[in-house]
């Protein structure tokens, strides 16, 4: 069986990663690869960096490390990586802060933490992410802590590696008793980070304050060994198995931190500022780990309002993680959630998730004071589409106008739950956009916490999403009716561009058949421009804009084509569709089509299924629905 072979190969790979040697051997490794002794924050940043960093035309960075799971949060992730991880990796003061991710439910906070955990596990198994610890240490101690404090300046000068922290009580005793102070003989081993094995990755979740013990964080005394070792301050009589112990060298997730009892949070004050914590009857124990927590805005505001929390609040870096505001990325979120659920075998008609995404994003947007701007235009601008009268700089102004945008609205899980409801209600293997919108509306009716005012607002967004779907449906059917659509569009575009070039250059064009010179075809140009609302007064500016775009493409060695200008592409489509509207309307709305009409319907259905992703059921529903739209 192939799975058995793969298991054997996996086991062999794990065995290859194992390494063991003396402290002297480890020093040679450090000399060759100083990064193996880097801090936990630095390791996490290099892990993210190793997956690549992309910079767009506006200078914004995106990180492929997150791209398979997190969608539409590029700006939030850029701030998180640059302001926290990058700065912490440079040993700036932010590394002495708890990272608190704050945002609405189902916004991606837990996913970010999980990705960091899984990423560390994988990265520690690579050559660049390798790290080592003193063998047998319950805290996976950094071996360089063996270097005496007095010798560290010389060591740092020779190796170029800074040493921070001291030996844990267990290792201190090991050096004295097992090795007689000969640190060069101490055995070092390679560490593979693992949340399941509690190696370098810990998770703390508060429970009932009356029953939870601080030992869950810092370890506890093993009373069964006191009679053997004679003292509670003997490291051998102490279990160094708290989450702060086990997360050393990596990351600790503090779930629901702001709901935790104060006595648990006190230990974080010293850990964050000084890099150590108090446990049992021992001196302060060094710990090199990143503490990350997540909460919603309501809990955070309540936490901040309590003056007793000021000390801890000053040791936090709060990173807002809002909902996604890009429709195309929202579709990706739903596609991911569908694949993770039992819905993955269900056929979801084209535009169903897009329509749901339009509704979801509309609920998260804030009204703008900018002249001529409404929520739908804002939605399309955020999605990278062209909107008449607005440019890229307007997007930055809109974001600056509403810095807290995305911190409220409908969450993705609600939409997926409603899709599930639609599927169960219909008892079919296919659902379309109307099914999804209907299920979303029914969910609002069942939601007791939604006020009458909010319900009216959300119903309005459903109506807007329905209207946008109507346009998408009509375009889809009309495109399917066009034979050799791309060729027809290209021919019409070339004809338009020839006339525009002649018009702007005050030239005449030659008839390709008769060779006769003629004035530019104003009727043709206007019939296309009017499709997107270009007025008579604005026609020259639009035509000159097209010529400038063509010139720009030519200078860059690129070819201007049908997809090079969003608004011109839309105008070409609408012109083609307008010429076909009557044909589409008659064919789709006839209850008893003749043989010729039936042939056209079957051909359109075939094209919808083969080229646009429909199944027989949703293709038929689309044709019937579009016919009713065109007959209104």
């Amino acid at each position: 069986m192939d799975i058995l072979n793969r298991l054997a190969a996996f086991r062999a790979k794990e065995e290859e990663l194992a390494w063991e040697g003396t402290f002297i051997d480890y020093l040679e490794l450090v000399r060759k690869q100083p990064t193996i002794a880097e801090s936990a924050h630095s390791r996490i940043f290099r892990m993210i960096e190793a997956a690549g960093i992309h910079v767009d035309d506006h200078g914004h960075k995106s990180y492929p490390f997150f791209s398979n799971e997190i969608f539409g949060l590029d700006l939030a992730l850029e701030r998180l990586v640059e302001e926290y991880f990058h700065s912490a990796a440079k040993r700036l003061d932010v590394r002495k802060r708890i990272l608190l991710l704050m945002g609405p439910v189902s916004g991606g906070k837990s996913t970010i933490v999980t990705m960091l955990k899984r990423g560390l596990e994988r990265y520690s198994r690579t050559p660049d992410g390798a790290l080592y610890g003193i063998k047998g240490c319950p805290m996976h101690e950094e071996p360089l802590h063996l270097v005496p404090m007095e010798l560290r300046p010389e060591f740092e000068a020779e190796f170029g590696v800074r040493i921070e922290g001291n030996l844990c009580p267990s290792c201190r005793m090991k050096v004295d008793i097992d090795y007689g102070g000969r640190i060069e003989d101490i055995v070092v081993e390679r560490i593979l980070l693992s949340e399941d094995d509690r190696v370098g990755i810990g998770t703390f979740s508060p429970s009932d304050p009356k029953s939870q013990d601080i030992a869950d964080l810092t370890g506890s005394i093993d009373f069964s060994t006191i009679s053997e070792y004679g003292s509670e301050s003997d490291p051998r009589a102490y279990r160094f198995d708290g989450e702060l112990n086990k997360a050393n060298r990596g990351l600790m997730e503090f779930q629901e931190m702001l709901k935790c009892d104060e006595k648990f949070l006190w230990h974080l004050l010293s850990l964050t500022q000084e890099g150590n914590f108090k446990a049992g009857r021992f001196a302060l124990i060094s710990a090199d780990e990143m503490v990350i927590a997540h909460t919603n805005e309501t809990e955070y505001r309540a936490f901040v309002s309590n003056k007793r929390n000021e000390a801890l609040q000053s040791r936090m870096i709060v990173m807002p993680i809002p909902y996604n505001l890009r429709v195309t990325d929202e579709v990706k979120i739903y596609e991911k959630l569908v694949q993770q659920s039992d819905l993955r075998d269900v056929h979801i008609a084209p535009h169903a998730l897009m329509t749901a995404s339009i509704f979801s994003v509309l609920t998260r947007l804030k009204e703008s004071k900018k002249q001529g701007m409404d929520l739908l235009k804002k939605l399309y601008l955020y999605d990278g589409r062209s909107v008449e009268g607005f440019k890229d700089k307007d997007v930055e102004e809109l974001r600056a106008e509403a810095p807290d945008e995305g911190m409220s609205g409908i969450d993705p899980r609600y939409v997926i739950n409603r899709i599930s409801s639609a599927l169960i209600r219909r008892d079919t293997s296919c659902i379309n956009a109307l099914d999804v919108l209907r299920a979303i509306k029914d969910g609002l009716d069942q939601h007791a916490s939604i006020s009458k005012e909010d319900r009216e607002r959300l119903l309005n967004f459903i109506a807007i999403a329905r209207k946008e779907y109507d346009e998408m449906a009509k375009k889809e059917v009309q495109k399917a009716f066009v034979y050799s659509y791309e060729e027809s569009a290209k021919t019409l575009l070339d004809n338009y561009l020839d006339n525009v070039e002649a018009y702007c250059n005050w030239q005449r064009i030659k008839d390709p058949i008769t060779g006769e010179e003629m004035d530019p075809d104003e009727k043709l140009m206007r019939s296309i421009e009017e499709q997107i609302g270009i007025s008579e007064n604005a026609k020259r500016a639009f035509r000159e804009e097209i010529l400038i775009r063509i010139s720009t493409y030519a200078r860059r060695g690129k070819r201007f084509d049908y997809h090079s200008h969003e608004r011109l592409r839309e105008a070409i489509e609408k012109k083609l569709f307008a010429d076909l509207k009557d044909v589409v309307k008659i064919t789709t709305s006839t209850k008893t089509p003749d043989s010729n009409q039936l042939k056209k319907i079957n051909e359109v259905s075939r094209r919808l299924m083969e080229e646009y992703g429909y199944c027989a059921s949703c293709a038929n529903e689309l044709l019937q629905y579009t016919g009713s739209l065109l007959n209104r």
Side-chain angles (χ1 to χ4, degrees):
M1 294 175 63
D2 184 56
I3 186 63
L4 296 179
N5 294 331
R6 298 190 64 165
L7 283 171
F10 175 80
R11 187 165 53 251
K13 179 67 175 177
E14 290 289 298
E15 291 172 356
E16 286 178 15
L17 293 174
W19 181 93
E20 191 174 294
T22 64
F23 180 62
I24 296 175
D25 298 326
Y26 177 67
L27 290 180
E28 288 303 312
L29 293 180
V30 173
R31 193 186 299 276
K32 295 176 183 177
Q33 186 182 344
T35 56
I36 64 175
E38 66 190 341
S39 68
H41 289 85
S42 178
R43 184 173 296 105
I44 292 173
F45 174 70
R46 285 205 308 115
M47 170 189 72
I48 296 171
E49 188 180 42
I53 300 177
H54 297 164
V55 183
D56 64 17
D57 295 337
H58 302 288
H60 293 300
K61 296 179 180 180
S62 60
Y63 305 90
F65 176 83
F66 297 103
S67 61
N68 291 332
E69 294 287 336
I70 304 292
F71 306 104
L73 296 182
D74 289 352
L75 294 179
L77 290 173
E78 179 183 19
R79 182 182 173 192
L80 171 65
V81 174
E82 292 302 312
E83 293 187 16
Y84 185 80
F85 289 121
H86 195 180
S87 299
K90 298 292 185 182
R91 296 183 182 271
L92 296 177
D93 215 44
V94 295
R95 71 192 175 103
K96 300 178 180 179
R97 305 288 184 270
I98 298 167
L99 175 60
L100 179 65
L101 305 181
M102 181 188 69
V105 296
S106 189
K109 304 183 298 296
S110 298
T111 303
I112 291 172
V113 177
T114 300
M115 292 189 72
L116 292 173
K117 288 179 178 180
R118 300 293 85 79
L120 275 174
E121 290 178 341
R122 294 190 302 270
Y123 191 58
S124 69
R125 287 161 169 76
T126 66
D128 289 339
L131 71 158
Y132 300 79
I134 296 174
K135 186 174 182 179
C137 174
M139 293 182 59
H140 343 293
E141 188 80 54
E142 164 60 62
L144 293 185
H145 289 175
L146 292 165
V147 178
M149 196 67 67
E150 295 77 9
L151 300 181
R152 288 185 181 182
E154 297 177 33
F155 177 89
E156 292 172 8
E158 180 180 349
F159 285 78
V161 174
R162 186 181 303 178
I163 305 174
E164 293 181 339
N166 299 310
L167 287 174
C168 70
S170 176
C171 288
R172 187 178 296 278
M173 176 169 281
K174 184 191 294 287
V175 171
D176 292 339
I177 295 179
D178 296 345
Y179 292 92
R182 292 184 54 79
I183 64 173
E184 56 267 41
D185 295 334
I186 287 181
V187 179
V188 175
E189 64 181 353
R190 182 169 180 178
I191 299 171
L192 301 180
L193 301 186
S194 169
E195 182 176 21
D196 292 339
D197 295 332
R198 301 185 74 210
V199 177
I201 299 176
T203 302
F204 180 80
S205 182
S207 57
D208 184 359
K210 295 179 181 179
S211 61
Q212 187 144 28
D213 191 349
I214 197 67
D216 293 341
L217 273 181
T218 62
S220 61
I221 298 171
D222 185 352
F223 290 100
S224 66
T225 62
I226 292 179
S227 59
E228 180 182 353
Y229 299 117
S231 171
E232 293 182 8
S233 61
D234 190 308
R236 293 169 296 183
Y238 195 87
R239 297 192 186 100
F240 294 90
D241 59 356
E243 294 303 324
L244 293 181
N245 305 102
K246 293 301 182 180
N248 187 38
R249 311 295 303 282
L251 174 153
M252 191 193 82
E253 177 189 8
F254 208 127
Q255 296 180 346
E256 304 296 343
M257 187 182 78
L258 302 189
K259 294 179 181 178
C260 197
D261 189 83
E262 289 181 359
K263 66 180 180 180
F264 289 91
L265 302 182
W266 292 336
H267 284 272
L268 301 180
L269 297 178
S270 176
L271 176 66
T272 52
Q273 193 64 36
E274 307 299 335
N276 53 45
F277 63 91
K278 190 74 172 69
R281 299 181 180 181
F282 302 110
L284 291 171
I285 299 175
S286 298
D288 172 30
E289 59 195 75
M290 187 190 85
V291 179
I292 185 168
H294 41 90
T295 187
N296 60 52
E297 191 169 5
T298 302
E299 288 180 351
Y300 178 70
R301 299 302 173 201
F303 175 80
V304 170
S305 64
N306 187 346
K307 296 296 184 182
R308 297 175 64 182
N309 296 325
E310 286 183 351
L312 186 61
Q313 182 189 341
S314 68
R315 289 169 170 82
M316 289 181 178
I317 294 287
V318 181
M319 286 290 170
I321 305 295
Y323 284 132
N324 159 60
L325 298 178
R326 288 175 57 92
V327 171
T328 49
D329 285 322
E330 189 74 7
V331 172
K332 294 176 183 177
I333 293 173
Y334 296 148
E335 289 173 343
K336 183 188 79 170
L337 293 175
V338 166
Q339 287 301 312
Q340 293 174 349
S341 71
D342 292 336
L343 293 172
R344 59 183 177 272
D345 296 326
V346 176
H347 182 257
I348 299 178
H351 307 303
L353 297 183
M354 174 64 74
T355 305
S357 299
I358 290 173
F359 164 75
S360 298
V361 174
L362 283 172
T363 69
R364 304 165 186 170
L365 297 176
K366 304 285 187 182
E367 294 283 356
S368 173
K369 297 178 182 179
K370 190 178 282 289
Q371 183 71 26
M373 177 62 63
D374 59 32
L375 289 184
L376 196 59
K377 289 179 180 177
K378 192 177 192 181
L379 176 144
Y380 285 130
L381 276 173
Y382 279 1
D383 205 38
R385 305 192 201 181
S386 298
V387 176
E388 185 178 0
F390 298 97
K391 298 181 180 179
D392 289 345
K393 68 175 183 179
D394 292 303
V395 176
E396 299 297 330
E397 293 175 3
L398 289 171
R399 287 176 177 147
E401 186 182 31
D404 62 338
E405 200 165 45
M407 297 300 283
S408 61
I410 293 294
D411 67 279
R413 288 199 187 105
Y414 172 83
V415 174
I416 288 297
N417 291 342
R418 300 316 302 165
I419 291 176
S420 302
S421 175
L423 176 67
I424 294 170
R425 185 173 60 249
R426 281 200 59 179
D427 191 25
T428 180
S429 60
C430 176
I431 53 176
N432 59 35
L434 297 180
D435 296 324
V436 173
L437 289 179
R438 194 178 299 114
I440 290 174
K441 178 180 179 297
D442 292 343
L444 300 180
D445 295 336
Q446 301 164 14
H447 220 298
S449 63
I450 296 180
S451 67
K452 183 178 179 180
E453 183 182 37
D454 287 340
R455 185 176 180 278
E456 290 300 318
R457 178 171 171 268
L458 294 174
L459 288 175
N460 179 53
F461 292 146
I462 290 176
I464 294 173
R466 164 76 176 271
K467 186 177 179 181
E468 291 302 295
Y469 171 68
D470 289 350
E471 291 301 313
M472 288 186 280
K474 286 188 287 188
K475 284 184 179 181
E476 200 89 302
V477 171
Q478 289 167 330
K479 278 197 290 186
F481 263 88
V482 179
Y483 180 74
S484 300
Y485 172 70
E486 290 286 346
E487 288 76 7
S488 301
K490 182 179 180 301
T491 300
L492 183 58
L493 174 69
D494 290 342
N495 198 358
Y496 174 77
L497 293 179
D498 288 343
N499 282 276
V500 164
E501 186 175 5
Y503 171 86
C504 291
N505 293 327
W506 303 93
Q507 296 175 347
R508 307 187 78 191
I509 61 174
K510 185 177 293 186
D511 188 292
I513 299 176
T514 65
E516 178 186 359
E517 288 193 346
M518 303 176 299
D519 290 330
D521 190 341
E522 185 66 22
K523 185 177 180 180
L524 170 71
M525 291 186 286
R526 292 302 295 143
S527 71
I528 293 172
E529 294 158 355
E530 287 171 352
Q531 301 295 328
I532 52 173
I534 302 296
S535 66
E536 182 71 25
N537 292 333
K539 67 181 184 181
R540 173 170 284 277
F542 180 75
R543 294 170 187 177
E544 289 175 346
E545 177 190 330
I546 297 297
L547 279 189
I548 291 172
R549 180 71 65 88
I550 294 173
S551 175
T552 301
Y553 270 57
R555 287 200 310 272
R556 295 176 180 175
K558 298 166 63 178
R559 184 177 180 277
F560 186 92
D561 61 20
Y562 169 66
H563 299 284
S564 299
H565 193 284
E566 181 68 22
R567 295 188 64 218
L568 180 56
R569 181 189 64 77
E570 181 184 354
I572 294 291
E573 285 183 358
K574 287 186 174 181
K575 169 61 178 170
L576 285 172
F577 297 159
D579 295 343
L580 286 162
K581 184 175 181 179
D582 291 338
V583 176
V584 174
K585 184 165 61 175
I586 293 171
T587 307
T588 57
S589 61
T590 302
K591 293 183 179 179
T592 55
D594 57 31
S595 59
N596 186 45
Q597 291 171 336
L598 190 61
K599 182 179 179 181
K600 286 184 178 179
I601 291 174
N602 290 336
E603 175 63 20
V604 171
S605 295
R606 185 187 65 78
R607 289 175 68 85
L608 287 172
M609 289 187 284
E610 292 181 358
E611 298 182 24
Y612 299 104
Y614 288 83
C615 68
S617 174
C618 59
N620 182 56
E621 290 172 347
L622 177 70
L623 288 172
Q624 292 180 358
Y625 180 67
T626 305
S628 68
L629 288 177
L630 294 175
N631 276 319
R632 289 177 185 174

